[in-house]
């Protein structure tokens, strides 16, 4: 963990965080740390309550438990992401990789296993929000194209051979980075830092996002031609690997 300050970006209204956990103790601790860091926090104890709260006023970020009564965290995440690119940090008592990957594949931006450090969670929330707001305040880059792909940062639309791609916010940012740097090898730590502004975290998060992106842009994700693995380094985007439509 680095020395980032656990404080939200300065602006008129504090960021709204929705904390969803059926364990009142966990919810209270998480909400308390976030409030002390300057965030506005709303709590929900199950899936239906979380969706209702998000429907009343869309949060800037959701801290979401995987195991929830009624509607589980995976389904809540799917429904939230279907209505827009709200960042989601998933909490779970499960520590195995399959659960982490499942959470990321339905659109979670990060994954924290219980027990966890509340301070680290605040840092992760802050990092995600800073990156999101910095992107929103910066001049909108020009559209990007290559290998039959087209990305328009102004409208946040992406297409492949003219067909729209359903990319999450993280996938969109990753593909944009690859299109800006064709032929260059990127390490996973570099991608975490340059694409998402993370100076800490689980490197397998990058692996999962690359896997999800390959599933959406490759002819055969099992034998990727566009996003190639560079053994011992990371990944390289090769526009020349595209297969004609």
């Amino acid at each position: 963990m680095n020395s980032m300050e656990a404080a939200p970006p300065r602006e008129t209204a504090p960021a709204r965080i929705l904390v969803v956990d059926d364990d009142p103790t966990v919810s209270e601790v998480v909400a308390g740390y976030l409030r002390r860091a300057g965030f506005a926090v709303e709590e929900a104890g199950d899936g239906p309550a979380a969706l209702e709260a998000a429907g009343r006023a869309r949060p800037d970020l959701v801290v979401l438990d995987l195991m929830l009564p009624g509607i589980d965290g995976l389904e809540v995440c799917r429904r939230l992401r279907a209505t827009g690119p709200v960042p989601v940090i998933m909490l779970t008592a499960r520590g195995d990789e399959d659960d982490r990957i499942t959470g990321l594949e339905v659109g979670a931006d990060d994954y924290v296993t219980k027990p966890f450090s509340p301070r680290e969670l605040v840092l992760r929330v802050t990092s995600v929000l800073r990156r999101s707001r910095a992107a929103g305040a910066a001049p909108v880059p020009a559209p990007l194209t290559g290998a039959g792909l087209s990305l328009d940062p102004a409208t946040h639309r992406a297409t492949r051979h003219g067909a729209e791609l359903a990319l999450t916010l993280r996938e969109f940012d990753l593909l944009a980075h690859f299109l800006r740097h064709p032929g260059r090898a990127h390490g996973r730590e570099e991608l975490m830092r340059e694409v998402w502004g993370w100076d800490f975290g689980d490197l397998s998060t990058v692996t999962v996002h690359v896997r999800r992106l390959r599933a959406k842009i490759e002819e055969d994700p099992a034998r990727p031609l566009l996003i190639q693995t560079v053994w011992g380094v990371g990944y390289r985007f090769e526009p020349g690997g595209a297969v004609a439509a």
Side-chain angles (χ1 to χ4, degrees):
M1 187 182 302
N2 67 0
S3 58
M4 294 170 56
E5 295 182 1
R10 292 179 179 273
E11 59 176 48
T12 304
R16 296 183 62 257
I17 311 298
L18 176 60
V19 176
V20 187
D21 199 302
D22 64 323
D23 185 331
T25 301
V26 172
S27 182
E28 181 180 352
V29 169
V30 170
Y33 269 83
L34 290 170
R35 288 189 178 107
R36 284 193 290 275
F39 296 106
V41 181
E42 182 172 1
E43 299 174 57
D46 57 34
L51 294 172
E52 180 182 353
R56 288 196 307 268
R58 190 164 186 81
D60 295 299
L61 184 142
V62 180
V63 177
L64 177 64
D65 187 33
L66 176 62
M67 300 299 291
L68 292 171
I71 303 173
D72 68 19
L74 294 177
E75 182 59 26
V76 171
C77 187
R78 287 189 188 98
R79 296 189 190 185
L80 287 172
R81 295 310 301 265
T83 63
V86 59
V88 175
I89 296 178
M90 194 161 279
L91 304 179
T92 181
R94 299 176 179 179
D96 61 271
E97 185 177 3
D98 287 344
D99 289 323
R100 180 170 64 250
I101 289 173
T102 300
L104 294 171
E105 285 180 343
V106 299
D109 295 87
D110 204 353
Y111 188 105
V112 180
T113 303
K114 299 175 183 178
F116 56 88
S117 162
R119 175 171 168 76
E120 179 182 352
L121 178 60
V122 172
L123 290 173
R124 288 174 183 261
V125 167
T126 302
S127 178
V128 171
L129 289 173
R130 278 181 175 161
R131 180 69 177 179
S132 175
R133 287 170 174 171
V140 178
L144 300 165
T145 59
L149 299 162
S150 177
L151 273 72
D152 186 350
T155 61
H156 212 272
R157 293 182 69 246
T159 61
R160 177 178 180 272
H161 301 310
E164 187 146 3
L165 293 169
L167 300 182
T168 66
L169 180 62
R170 295 296 178 202
E171 293 164 359
F172 188 95
D173 290 345
L174 181 58
L175 183 54
H177 189 79
F178 280 141
L179 284 169
R180 290 189 186 105
H181 304 285
R184 173 180 156 190
H186 306 270
R188 291 190 296 171
E189 290 183 351
E190 175 194 349
L191 289 172
M192 288 185 69
R193 181 178 64 254
E194 297 297 326
V195 179
W196 303 309
W198 295 345
D199 292 319
F200 57 89
D202 189 341
L203 290 178
S204 67
T205 299
V206 178
T207 305
V208 171
H209 283 301
V210 167
R211 182 184 306 162
R212 290 171 57 194
L213 185 56
R214 280 172 169 167
K216 296 177 181 180
I217 70 170
E218 299 279 1
E219 292 288 340
D220 182 358
R223 292 181 292 179
L225 299 175
L226 296 177
I227 305 176
Q228 299 181 4
T229 298
V230 182
W231 297 109
V233 179
Y235 304 99
R236 180 176 58 238
F237 183 73
E238 290 288 357
V243 177

